């Protein structure tokens, strides 16, 4: 990895729409419409998207909307796009309304790892019933992501990766500062990917004493978004640029059923105080196609992904939870790149 700050070509900042009780997937009747709310996927939106969309569609199908009737989807991020595609596949015509479209949506700032358990619920809300529902969503989503493998633009790929650490892997890590406790959901879906393997000194090139190899699903976000938009248009989908300032604006839509996929935007639009913004910043280094492995520096919150559009270097900050500041902090990203360089 050519980890040097002069290779930074972009720094992106996005917001994870976190809800302590997990995503909101529920229908309500307002202004003579059925509104299916579908937002609040924290750090797991890309990973859980398809399974979550299937659950939202189940609410559409029990709403009395006619088969083939046109429905509205609000939002053009990971959740809006996959919900729109799922509705089309169920036979609906779909009109997608959004204030912003890729690459100006928070979903475009995602790193792109299969992380269905990242900031998706708090320990206190992860009941057995909730966890079983999450597992069903994760499994359904995983299956659909596999159908995007092997395509020329590479929207979904498998990559090996290394978790490296200065200290023993058995030593527990402190949680992120100022954040709630999250449940350990990973064992529920451990069968979905190969087991990690501890490497001995000499079996890896890193300066750290500890390293494990894992194999992980990676989303090349720009390619995935473009493919979803193209497929949506090919199947007759319409995309309309529109901002909704208050829920009453739904009443002006011609469609009887509206799926609200506004992500963090629901905080302002609906005044939903259950949403907490969680900021994330990523440096993009010039693409290095010869680097085909991911890297996680345990205890340093450093994640590096070998995406087709660049080598992505993400590092959590200390004040990201509850923070919706979209201003990039270059010094933070440069520090992350220098820490990465120190590993080799
Ligand atoms: C730095 C970072 C890294 C991440 N990494 C990963 C990862 O590796 N794997 C993973 O699975 N997930 C990851 N995530 C999480 C994932 O990106 C989110 O869960 C996902 O983006 C949520 O998608 P969304 O469609 O709900 O929201 P958004 O992408 O924010 O889309 C919302 C849409 O609604 C529209 N909208 C909002 N308000 C209004 C309004 N009032 N009127 C009209 N339109 C409106 C917006 O314009 C936009 O089109 C990451 C997130 C961040 C920020």
């Amino acid at each position: 990895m050519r980890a040097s700050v002069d290779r930074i070509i972009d720094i992106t900042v996005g917001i994870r729409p976190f809800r302590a009780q997990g995503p909101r997937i529920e229908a309500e009747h307002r202004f003579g419409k059925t509104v299916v709310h579908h937002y609040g996927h924290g750090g797991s939106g890309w990973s859980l998207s398809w399974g979550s969309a299937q659950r939202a569609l189940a609410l559409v199908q029990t709403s009395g909307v006619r088969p083939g009737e046109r429905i509205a989807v609000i939002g053009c991020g990971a959740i809006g796009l996959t919900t729109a595609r799922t509705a089309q596949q169920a036979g609906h015509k779909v009109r997608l309304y959004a204030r912003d479209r890729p690459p100006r949506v928070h979903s475009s700032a995602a790193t792109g790892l299969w992380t269905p358990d990242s900031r998706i619920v708090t320990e206190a809300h992860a009941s057995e019933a909730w966890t079983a529902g999450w597992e069903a969503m994760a499994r359904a989503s995983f299956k659909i992501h596999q159908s995007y493998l092997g395509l020329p633009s590479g929207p979904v790929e498998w990559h090996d990766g290394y978790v490296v650490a200065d200290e023993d892997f058995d030593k527990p890590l402190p949680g992120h500062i100022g954040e709630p406790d999250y449940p350990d959901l990973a064992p529920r879906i451990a069968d979905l990917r190969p087991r990690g393997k501890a490497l001995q000194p000499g079996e890896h090139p890193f300066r750290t004493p500890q390293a494990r190899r894992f194999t992980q699903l990676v989303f090349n976000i720009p390619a995935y978004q473009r493919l979803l938009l193209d497929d949506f248009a090919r199947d007759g989908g319409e995309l309309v640029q529109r901002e909704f300032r208050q829920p009453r604006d739904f009443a002006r839509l011609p469609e009887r059923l509206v799926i609200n996929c506004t992500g963090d935007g629901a905080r302002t639009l609906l005044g939903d105080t259950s949403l907490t913004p969680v900021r994330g910043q990523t440096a993009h280094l010039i693409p290095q196609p010869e680097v085909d492995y991911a890297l996680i520096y345990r205890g340093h919150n450093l994640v590096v992904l070998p995406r087709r559009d660049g080598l992505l270097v993400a590092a959590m900050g200390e004040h990201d939870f509850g923070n919706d500041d979209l201003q990039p902090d270059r010094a933070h990203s440069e520090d992350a790149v220098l820490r990465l360089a120190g590993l080799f």
Side-chain angles (χ1 to χ4, degrees):
M1 288 184 184
R2 296 170 70 183
S4 62
V5 295
D6 57 347
R7 293 180 66 84
I8 297 177
I9 45 174
D10 196 13
I11 297 176
T12 53
V13 181
I15 302 297
R16 302 170 180 87
F18 171 71
R19 290 180 88 232
Q21 55 275 68
R24 182 175 183 202
I25 311 175
E26 61 189 25
E28 66 169 342
H29 298 282
R30 262 179 121 169
F31 318 116
K33 313 260 179 213
T34 302
V35 181
V36 175
H37 296 290
H38 188 205
Y39 60 83
H41 295 75
S44 303
W46 277 103
S47 306
L48 283 180
S49 55
W50 293 111
S52 189
Q54 287 176 5
R55 199 189 270 189
L57 247 287
L59 296 177
V60 170
Q61 270 142 5
T62 54
S63 71
V65 74
R66 287 186 300 276
E69 182 176 334
R70 191 176 71 205
I71 65 170
V73 171
I74 305 179
C76 196
I79 301 301
L81 280 172
T82 49
T83 301
R85 286 296 294 141
T86 305
Q88 284 180 321
Q89 282 154 359
H92 291 287
K93 296 191 184 71
V94 181
R95 190 178 278 159
L96 214 154
Y97 299 90
R99 183 184 55 216
D100 303 300
R101 60 181 72 179
R104 281 188 298 278
V105 294
H106 294 299
S107 297
S108 300
T111 354
L113 266 179
W114 160 254
T115 54
D117 51 348
S118 169
R119 292 189 181 84
I120 191 65
V121 71
T122 60
E123 177 90 63
H125 285 91
S127 63
E128 175 51 33
W130 187 94
T131 305
W134 168 85
E135 181 180 341
M137 280 197 290
R139 288 184 182 279
S141 216
F142 183 83
K143 186 157 179 58
I144 297 184
H145 287 308
Q146 305 313 306
S147 69
Y148 285 88
L149 286 169
L151 300 177
S153 65
V156 178
E157 293 177 321
W158 281 93
H159 282 285
D160 275 355
Y162 300 89
V163 187
V164 299
D166 299 318
E167 293 182 289
D168 211 81
F169 282 114
D170 295 336
K171 191 172 171 207
L173 289 176
H176 294 301
I177 297 166
E179 300 204 25
D181 290 335
Y182 303 110
D184 183 12
L185 300 170
R188 300 280 294 226
I189 51 167
D191 57 303
L192 290 182
R193 60 179 175 133
R195 274 195 297 275
K197 181 181 182 301
L199 301 176
Q200 300 306 315
E203 283 188 307
H204 64 83
F206 308 108
R207 287 215 181 122
T208 55
Q210 308 289 337
R212 291 184 71 85
R213 188 171 58 223
F214 64 96
T215 308
Q216 185 61 293
L217 202 58
V218 171
F219 309 125
N220 284 299
I221 305 283
Y224 212 167
Q225 280 173 325
R226 189 161 292 234
L227 191 60
L228 292 171
L229 278 166
D230 288 351
D231 288 354
F232 174 68
R234 191 201 56 216
D235 285 353
E238 291 173 60
L239 180 51
V240 177
Q241 201 273 332
R242 184 180 300 186
E243 173 161 17
F244 296 81
R245 296 192 183 276
Q246 50 188 354
R248 190 167 289 282
D249 292 347
F250 297 154
R252 299 204 187 94
L253 295 175
E255 294 83 10
R256 291 192 303 152
L257 187 133
V258 180
I259 313 183
N260 169 26
C261 307
T262 49
D264 184 61
R267 217 159 31 99
T268 324
L269 176 61
L270 306 181
D272 186 342
T273 53
S274 70
L275 274 164
T276 303
V278 185
R279 185 183 185 278
Q281 174 172 313
T282 307
H284 296 232
L285 307 191
I286 294 172
Q288 269 190 272
E290 73 280 14
V291 174
D292 63 355
Y293 62 93
L295 192 57
I296 296 174
Y297 194 5
R298 189 175 185 265
H300 288 252
N301 294 325
L302 188 67
V303 176
V304 187
L305 267 201
R307 278 203 346 213
R308 291 196 177 196
D309 57 323
L311 206 58
L312 264 68
V313 183
M316 278 304 286
E318 285 191 1
H319 309 288
D320 287 339
F321 196 76
N323 184 349
D324 63 1
D325 182 2
L326 292 175
Q327 207 48 32
D329 173 356
R330 186 168 175 103
H332 179 75
S333 282
E334 289 195 356
D335 176 63
V337 171
L338 291 173
R339 271 186 290 145
L340 172 62
L343 284 173
F344 298 94

